[in-house]
């Protein structure tokens, strides 16, 4: 099945099984805004818990905060967002559609890569086991031509972006003969910058009100609280502050479902270090974060680092953790060495001294910062994409199963009476009443047992328990494993110890290497 079709199936699965709904759907939705449904919110909360605990439980020098979304407007002047948090936009005069110029060019680069991949796949099919991909890539004329065009375009694009050269971006679009996907024409306007922050008013009257912004990142809430936390928590450098919260960006190109949203959630941690040690910490945090991702068991081959070619003016190193989505390797998390830019800017704009007195060196300095910043929604999407599977069964049927890591699954155990009578429902409820304090259990009595198993497979429930007539006399139930579909007879009194450890966030934390 084409990856595009797989992705469409995942999106409709999210809707059909209560994970993600379009926002305000009865009014035809709102672009790039989504609601998390009954199963989605559980999965999302588990992802957040996994991240939060990996930061504040596993590191005794990291603490958490929860700062307000609204902040003093000068915060965004100091951080550079008012002046420089822009996307380069271009309009097509015929369709009246607006696009991000950089995205149009990135798509053109991706087209060359697709052409190369197609040539390689074709040759692979033709030559079978004897196929030498490296040699083919190094010698095939069509591959070499496309590779050369791709590299030249990439170099020209990177130079234009680095220089913020809007005329050159437009020229690239014209030279590459990029057309509007709607009108099919090349009737483009000039490229211009567009600020991504949402504005609103605070105060009750028009005259008495002032413009404030919805935060485009949670990080600034950490920077402005650096001194408060350092002093009240008696924190010693190196130390970190973690935060999970909503962020807002007026994204023009809203694509790929919850990958790029206008309202989304971030999990960010700012780690304050001694100047000069930041690049060592940067490497350490890259490794720590990659280990966090890989503990989910999705396979090391599905992750890669992408080092930034264009560094923000305040950064001295930056790298993304990319995950293989059905639409290619995409950024899920950014790890940035932000120098002392943010703290220095806030010191300058607020007039307050924002420093650290290092008792060992007996000197004051403005700490440098390593930031780890991951989007909850992108993480959610990567978990869904990897877990969604269609499995051919021995009886010729196909089952759709979400092979979610058990610790992230919305429901851990579904308890099902074989029939809706003879005291079996009561026994099933009794089991839930015992276990519900330890993990999320659901009761399910509708339809045949087979259908009920399929329903739980589709929402990723790792364990199902069936209560039958023998249960009433032998105190045992049938425990079914989602992934192997194996069924074993176990004692009700053993259920908790059999399941609890496997479904706990702790079990996941222990896998972080
Ligand atoms: N404080 C640094 C910062 O915000 P970023 O690379 O702009 O850096 C960090 O964003 C992460 O936030 C990204 O890796 C991505 O996972 C998530 N993110 C950014 N924009 C997003 C959007 N429009 N929709 C969903 N997630 C987004």
């Amino acid at each position: 099945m084409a990856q595009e079709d797989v992705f469409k199936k995942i999106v409709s699965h999210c809707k059909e099984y209560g994970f993600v709904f379009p926002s305000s759907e009865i009014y035809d939705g709102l672009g790039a805004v989504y609601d998390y449904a009954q199963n989605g919110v559980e999965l999302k909360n588990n992802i957040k818990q996994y991240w939060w605990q990996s930061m504040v439980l596993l590191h005794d020098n990291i603490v958490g905060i929860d700062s307000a979304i609204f902040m003093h407007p000068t915060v965004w002047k100091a951080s550079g967002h008012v002046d420089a948090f822009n996307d380069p936009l271009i309009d097509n005069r015929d369709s009246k559609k607006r696009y991000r110029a950089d995205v149009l060019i990135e798509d053109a680069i991706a087209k060359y890569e697709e052409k190369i991949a197609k040539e390689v796949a074709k040759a692979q099919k033709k030559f079978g086991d004897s196929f030498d991909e490296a040699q083919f890539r190094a010698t095939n004329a069509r591959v070499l031509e496309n590779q050369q065009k791709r590299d030249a375009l990439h170099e020209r694009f990177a130079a234009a972006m680095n220089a913020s050269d809007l005329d050159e971006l437009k020229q690239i679009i014209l030279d590459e003969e990029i057309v509007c996907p709607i009108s099919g024409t090349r009737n483009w306007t000039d490229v211009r910058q567009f600020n991504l922050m949402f504005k609103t008013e605070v105060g009750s009257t028009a005259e008495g009100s002032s413009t404030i912004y919805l935060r485009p990142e949670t990080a600034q809430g950490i920077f402005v609280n650096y001194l408060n936390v350092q002093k009240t928590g008696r924190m010693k450098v190196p130390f970190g502050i973690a935060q999970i919260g909503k962020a807002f960006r007026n994204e023009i190109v809203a694509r790929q479902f919850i990958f790029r949203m206008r309202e989304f959630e971030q999990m960010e941690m700012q780690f304050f270090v001694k100047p000069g040690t930041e690049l060592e910490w940067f490497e350490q945090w890259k490794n720590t974060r990659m280990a966090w991702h890989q503990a989910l068991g999705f396979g090391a081959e599905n992750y890669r680092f992408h080092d930034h070619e264009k560094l923000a003016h305040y950064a001295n190193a930056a790298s993304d953790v990319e995950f293989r989505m059905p639409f290619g390797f995409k950024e899920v998390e950014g790890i940035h060495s932000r120098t002392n830019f943010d703290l220095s800017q806030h010191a300058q704009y607020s007039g307050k001294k924002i420093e650290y007195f290092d008792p060992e060196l007996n000197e004051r300095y403005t700490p440098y910062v390593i930031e780890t910043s991951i989007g909850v929604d992108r993480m959610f999407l990567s978990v869904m994409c990897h877990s969604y599977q269609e499995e051919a069964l021995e009886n010729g049927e196909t089952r759709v199963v979400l092979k979610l890591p058990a610790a992230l699954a919305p429901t851990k155990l579904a308890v099902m009476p074989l029939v809706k009578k003879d005291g079996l429902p009561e026994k099933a409820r009794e089991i839930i009443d015992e276990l519900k304090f330890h993990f999320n259990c659901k009761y399910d009595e509708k339809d045949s047992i087979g259908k009920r198993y399929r329903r739980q497979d589709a929402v990723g429930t790792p364990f199902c328990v069936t209560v039958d007539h023998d249960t009433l006399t032998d105190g045992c139930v049938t425990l079914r494993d989602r992934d192997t579909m194996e069924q074993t007879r176990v004692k009700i009194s053993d259920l908790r110890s059999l399941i609890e450890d496997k479904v706990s966030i702790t079990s996941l934390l222990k896998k972080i290497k």
Side-chain angles (χ1 to χ4, degrees):
M1 200 189 310
Q3 289 300 293
E4 216 171 272
D5 297 332
V6 173
F7 189 57
K8 276 189 194 147
K9 284 192 173 193
I10 292 166
V11 174
S12 58
H13 192 86
C14 281
K15 163 96 195 291
E16 194 180 340
Y17 286 91
F19 282 88
V20 181
F21 300 147
S23 161
S24 335
E25 199 186 6
I26 57 170
Y27 294 101
D28 294 333
L30 179 67
V33 187
Y34 291 89
D35 296 337
Y36 285 85
Q38 66 277 13
N39 287 316
V41 70
E42 297 290 343
L43 171 56
K44 197 181 185 207
N45 283 341
N46 291 336
I47 291 171
K48 289 196 272 185
Q49 218 189 330
Y50 175 40
W51 183 88
W52 186 263
Q53 293 192 6
S54 76
M55 287 293 171
V56 303
L57 292 193
L58 300 193
H59 300 96
D60 61 7
N61 58 352
I62 298 182
V63 292
I65 63 165
D66 182 16
S67 69
I69 288 171
F70 293 150
M71 300 180 76
H72 193 285
T74 311
V75 166
W76 305 109
K77 193 77 195 144
S79 68
H81 284 82
V82 171
D83 295 324
F85 196 52
N86 301 320
D87 273 346
L89 295 189
I90 190 165
D91 290 1
N92 182 269
R93 291 197 185 92
D94 299 321
S95 67
K96 310 271 183 279
K97 287 277 168 202
R98 183 163 288 175
Y99 299 92
R100 265 177 63 179
D102 55 333
V103 172
L104 288 177
I105 299 170
E106 274 165 8
D107 286 350
I109 294 173
K111 276 199 185 122
Y112 287 121
E113 289 165 355
E114 276 163 30
K115 279 185 193 165
I116 295 169
K118 263 191 197 148
E119 291 293 341
V120 172
K122 224 164 60 186
Q124 186 140 39
K125 207 166 165 195
K126 188 169 160 195
F127 297 113
D129 286 346
S130 61
F131 181 59
D132 181 341
E133 185 178 328
Q135 197 198 357
F136 181 77
R137 281 178 181 271
T139 53
N140 180 274
R142 272 191 300 270
V143 169
L144 288 175
E145 187 191 333
N146 280 311
Q147 187 68 47
Q148 190 263 329
K149 283 184 183 165
R150 182 240 168 246
D151 292 346
L153 174 57
H154 185 260
E155 201 176 308
R156 197 174 160 198
F157 170 56
M161 288 296 282
N162 272 328
S164 296
D165 186 341
L166 303 184
D167 293 339
E168 171 68 351
L169 285 178
K170 177 169 180 186
Q171 198 53 50
I172 295 175
I173 289 171
L174 295 177
D175 292 350
E176 285 295 314
E177 303 186 344
I178 296 173
V179 297
C180 165
I182 309 284
S183 66
T185 71
R186 289 179 228 145
N187 192 5
W188 297 110
T189 61
D190 285 344
V191 178
R192 67 206 179 286
Q193 297 286 24
F194 174 85
N195 193 285
L196 294 180
M197 283 197 295
F198 285 102
K199 282 181 193 163
T200 187
E201 302 288 321
V202 68
S204 55
T205 61
E207 300 106 66
S209 67
S210 61
T211 299
I212 57 165
Y213 301 95
L214 297 189
R215 66 181 178 196
E217 61 170 11
T218 60
Q220 297 304 323
I222 294 179
F223 290 124
V224 299
N225 277 299
Y226 157 80
L227 268 188
N228 284 338
V229 173
Q230 193 271 318
K231 292 216 164 98
T232 58
R234 289 179 289 125
M235 308 300 290
K236 286 204 169 82
V237 166
F239 76 94
I241 305 178
Q243 165 156 244
I244 299 178
K246 288 271 178 143
F248 306 82
R249 295 182 190 178
N250 196 0
E251 300 282 2
I252 293 307
V253 182
R255 289 200 302 190
Q256 284 135 351
F257 189 39
I258 54 173
F259 184 79
R260 197 176 297 287
M261 301 158 88
R262 297 202 167 107
E263 174 181 340
F264 58 101
E265 212 165 354
Q266 289 185 316
M267 306 189 281
E268 299 202 295
M269 194 279 300
Q270 311 294 324
F271 199 70
F272 301 93
V273 303
K274 195 170 104 187
T277 64
E278 72 275 10
L279 293 180
E280 269 166 54
W281 281 110
F282 174 70
E283 286 307 321
Q284 195 159 320
W285 275 108
K286 271 176 73 176
N287 293 336
T288 306
R289 293 304 304 146
M290 187 55 101
W292 182 90
H293 285 279
Q294 294 192 0
L296 290 169
F298 294 166
E301 69 283 5
N302 291 315
Y303 298 90
R304 68 180 188 196
F305 282 118
H306 170 249
D307 295 330
H308 286 208
E309 286 159 39
K310 185 189 175 201
L311 288 176
H313 57 282
Y314 52 78
N316 63 5
S319 189
D320 296 334
V321 176
E322 294 187 338
F323 182 73
R324 195 199 299 267
M325 305 270 193
F327 43 93
F329 270 99
K330 294 287 164 193
E331 174 192 341
V332 174
E333 171 160 10
I335 297 149
H336 312 124
S337 176
R338 289 180 81 130
T339 66
N340 61 0
F341 174 81
D342 300 88
L343 290 184
S344 303
Q345 286 291 102
H346 288 305
Q348 188 191 327
Y349 277 77
S350 67
K352 307 273 181 341
K353 227 185 207 171
I354 306 182
E355 288 180 333
Y356 174 72
F357 175 73
D358 193 323
E360 278 158 33
L361 301 176
N362 198 25
E363 68 179 47
R364 290 187 176 280
Y365 53 75
T366 308
Y368 273 43
V369 172
I370 305 302
E371 163 183 78
T372 71
S373 174
I374 172 169
V376 180
D377 313 271
R378 281 197 194 172
M379 190 58 208
F380 184 106
L381 187 59
S382 61
V383 170
M384 285 303 276
C385 288
H386 192 271
S387 303
Y388 179 91
Q389 294 182 22
E390 292 180 12
E391 262 183 16
L393 301 177
E394 277 172 11
N395 63 5
E397 285 178 16
T398 305
R399 76 161 178 156
V400 172
V401 53
L402 272 190
K403 292 195 170 172
L404 296 170
L408 300 185
T411 301
K412 312 302 186 192
L413 176 71
V415 185
M416 311 166 168
L418 189 61
V419 289
K420 281 190 259 180
K421 55 183 185 182
D422 306 334
L424 302 191
E426 290 76 9
K427 191 72 194 168
R429 296 249 182 229
E430 216 178 88
I431 294 172
I432 291 183
D433 283 344
E434 180 71 27
L435 295 177
K436 69 183 176 192
F437 298 101
H438 308 289
F439 41 79
N440 199 341
C441 305
K442 286 273 177 304
Y443 177 79
D444 192 0
E445 64 171 21
K446 198 168 174 289
D447 300 322
S448 69
I449 280 290
K451 272 195 183 158
R452 282 182 260 173
Y453 283 157
R454 289 290 168 277
R455 213 160 39 226
Q456 295 301 330
D457 287 345
V459 296
T461 305
F463 297 105
C464 291
V465 145
T466 306
V467 175
D468 56 28
H469 290 93
D470 290 341
T471 306
L472 302 179
T473 48
D474 67 5
C476 291
V477 286
T478 304
L479 180 65
R480 177 201 185 251
D481 182 289
R482 175 196 68 198
D483 297 344
T484 61
M485 293 188 286
E486 254 173 41
Q487 302 188 12
T488 39
R489 197 82 186 150
V490 302
K491 282 198 197 137
I492 294 174
S493 53
D494 288 344
L495 275 176
R496 183 177 160 199
S497 62
L498 284 170
I499 295 171
E500 193 173 25
D501 193 39
K502 293 191 184 121
V503 301
S504 71
I505 296 285
T506 312
S507 68
L508 210 45
L509 293 172
K510 283 184 182 164
K511 286 186 190 150
I512 300 177
K513 299 227 170 63

